[in-house]
Amino acid sequence: MIDTIEKEDNIISEEEAAQYDRQIRLWGLDAQKRLRGSRVLLVGLRGLGAEVAKNLILAGVKGLTLLDHEQVTEESRRAQFLIPVDADGQNQAQASLERAQLLNPMVEVKVDTDAVESKLDDFFFRFDAVCLTRCSKDLMVRVDQLCASRNIKVFCGDVYGYHGYMFSDLGQEHHYVEEKPKVVKGSNEANDGPEAKKRKVDPNETTMVKKTISFCSLKEALEVDWTNEKAKSSLKRTPADYFLLQVLLKFRTDKGRDPQPDSFAEDSQLLLQIRDDVLETMGLSSELLPNTFVSYCFSEMAPVCAVVGGVLGQEIVKICCHPINNDK
């Protein structure tokens, strides 16, 4: 029996090898070693945050810090599965800790009950990746800019009713590799026709191709100048959800909360007013976001959280175990 798997002075125990056997077969031992050496900060422990936490813990990151200063309410308890039914009034992160840790005892799960707004810059530099949920626009922009200076990967996401989004900033020059089928030259020996000279794909062999992609900052993504001709030309290709996100972030900034079902009538009118103001400021017509949007953006819906949380968690895992990364 092999007690450990060792390479480059990095050891995976027999227990870890058994726990992550399926993942190691999927993306390789080296990738799993990089993943289990990564520390992630997750801000916000509502429905989406719980899904992201579950996915990161099961994947096997080294450490996950759950940061949330809010208390458990009936609505927040119904929105996620990590909080026990008798936890009303407790801190949301603290109430989620026990069930989160049980998902994978080999992951170091910590809780921080401070408000993320109170954290100094150095706090964020402890992590390899930061995931922000339920945060204000100003805070997300600030953290994104801070982390970009240290090449720390930043992810943002939220769920509003039937709508959800995720954003990632992996840097201006993010290097990665992509596995592609190997292309081989055709042989002229058996055939003299043009078909024999064509390059062919060998499905049994693959090759790793190095690539570079550039990511814009969150500030750039949210502060597009729609009077610019280039931006105008892309307007028809821009989903209405982009403008919905702008409205919902403005609502969160103005009210310090998200739209609430128990104040549906009042919040609906406010959302419509904010819609008009936001789009007017952008120099755009309010018709880009029909009035019906207010019926579908209240509360966090569990199925939407599961889908968005699955994508968001997957993207964080990919970055943590990627074979090529920029130096910090």
Side-chain angles (χ1 to χ4, degrees):
M1 183 178 293
I2 299 176
D3 292 332
T4 61
I5 300 174
E6 181 175 356
K7 185 177 181 182
E8 297 178 356
D9 299 324
N10 194 355
I11 299 174
I12 284 186
S13 67
E14 179 184 9
E15 183 182 8
E16 288 176 299
Q19 172 80 10
Y20 305 127
D21 177 72
R22 181 173 177 272
Q23 295 169 197
I24 292 172
R25 294 174 188 272
L26 178 63
W27 54 53
L29 178 60
D30 287 346
Q32 188 65 40
K33 286 179 178 179
R34 283 185 287 269
L35 181 61
R36 47 104 67 175
S38 301
R39 295 188 179 276
V40 181
L41 170 66
L42 173 61
V43 179
L45 265 294
R46 291 286 292 267
L48 178 59
E51 291 286 350
V52 175
K54 174 200 70 177
N55 293 328
L56 295 179
I57 293 170
L58 291 177
V61 296
K62 180 177 182 62
L64 178 65
T65 297
L66 310 176
L67 191 153
D68 196 318
H69 71 284
E70 295 184 348
Q71 292 184 330
V72 177
T73 63
E74 183 178 3
E75 181 185 2
S76 65
R77 176 165 45 81
R78 289 178 176 177
Q80 65 120 300
F81 50 82
L82 295 176
I83 297 178
V85 295
D86 59 350
D88 287 7
Q90 299 179 27
N91 173 269
Q92 287 186 152
Q94 191 66 53
S96 302
L97 176 60
E98 182 177 359
R99 290 182 177 179
Q101 187 66 80
L102 286 173
L103 291 171
N104 188 351
M106 286 181 281
V107 174
E108 182 183 348
V109 184
K110 295 181 178 180
V111 163
D112 192 321
T113 59
D114 292 342
V116 65
E117 293 84 358
S118 69
K119 293 298 186 182
L120 300 178
D121 295 356
D122 288 349
F123 171 77
F124 300 97
F125 300 155
R126 307 173 190 173
F127 304 96
D128 300 290
V130 174
C131 180
L132 305 171
T133 71
R134 296 184 60 80
C135 294
S136 68
K137 173 184 172 180
D138 289 345
L139 176 67
M140 290 190 292
V141 168
R142 174 204 161 205
V143 174
D144 183 39
Q145 292 174 334
L146 278 175
C147 292
S149 68
R150 298 293 184 92
N151 195 36
I152 298 168
K153 311 310 181 186
V154 175
F155 299 82
C156 304
D158 269 308
V159 168
Y160 304 91
Y162 288 88
H163 301 274
Y165 87 95
M166 70 149 287
F167 170 87
S168 58
D169 182 0
L170 308 184
Q172 293 185 348
E173 287 191 1
H174 175 66
H175 306 289
Y176 67 102
V177 295
E178 186 175 282
E179 186 176 14
K180 288 191 172 184
K182 189 174 182 179
V183 178
V184 296
K185 293 182 178 180
S187 173
N188 292 332
E189 295 180 2
N191 299 294
D192 296 328
E195 288 296 325
K197 298 180 181 180
K198 289 184 176 179
R199 295 165 65 85
K200 298 179 181 179
V201 174
D202 185 348
N204 298 318
E205 290 190 47
T206 60
T207 183
M208 305 303 288
V209 180
K210 293 183 179 181
K211 293 191 173 184
T212 300
I213 190 171
S214 178
F215 286 76
C216 72
S217 68
L218 181 62
K219 182 179 176 67
E220 292 170 329
L222 293 177
E223 298 182 2
V224 176
D225 179 7
W226 292 101
T227 63
N228 180 284
E229 290 301 321
K230 184 178 179 180
K232 284 182 179 180
S233 65
S234 66
L235 186 58
K236 289 184 178 180
R237 302 192 303 273
T238 304
D241 282 358
Y242 171 84
F243 302 104
L244 173 60
L245 174 61
Q246 298 276 12
V247 171
L248 291 166
L249 289 176
K250 184 68 165 61
F251 185 103
R252 182 180 287 173
T253 297
D254 292 349
K255 302 291 289 185
R257 61 175 177 84
D258 291 336
Q260 299 292 323
D262 55 5
S263 55
F264 178 81
E266 177 186 347
D267 286 355
S268 294
Q269 290 303 311
L270 183 55
L271 283 168
L272 291 173
Q273 182 60 55
I274 292 176
R275 183 271 316 265
D276 293 343
D277 295 343
V278 166
L279 292 179
E280 182 181 1
T281 301
M282 293 180 176
L284 301 172
S285 169
S286 60
E287 294 179 359
L288 283 172
L289 199 56
N291 292 357
T292 52
F293 82 87
V294 298
S295 300
Y296 304 102
C297 60
F298 283 74
S299 296
E300 285 184 304
M301 298 190 66
V304 183
C305 289
V307 172
V308 178
V311 175
L312 190 49
Q314 173 184 282
E315 292 303 309
I316 298 172
V317 167
K318 283 165 58 177
I319 289 305
C320 289
C321 67
H322 220 285
I324 294 183
N325 211 341
N326 300 322
D327 294 329
K328 290 182 181 179

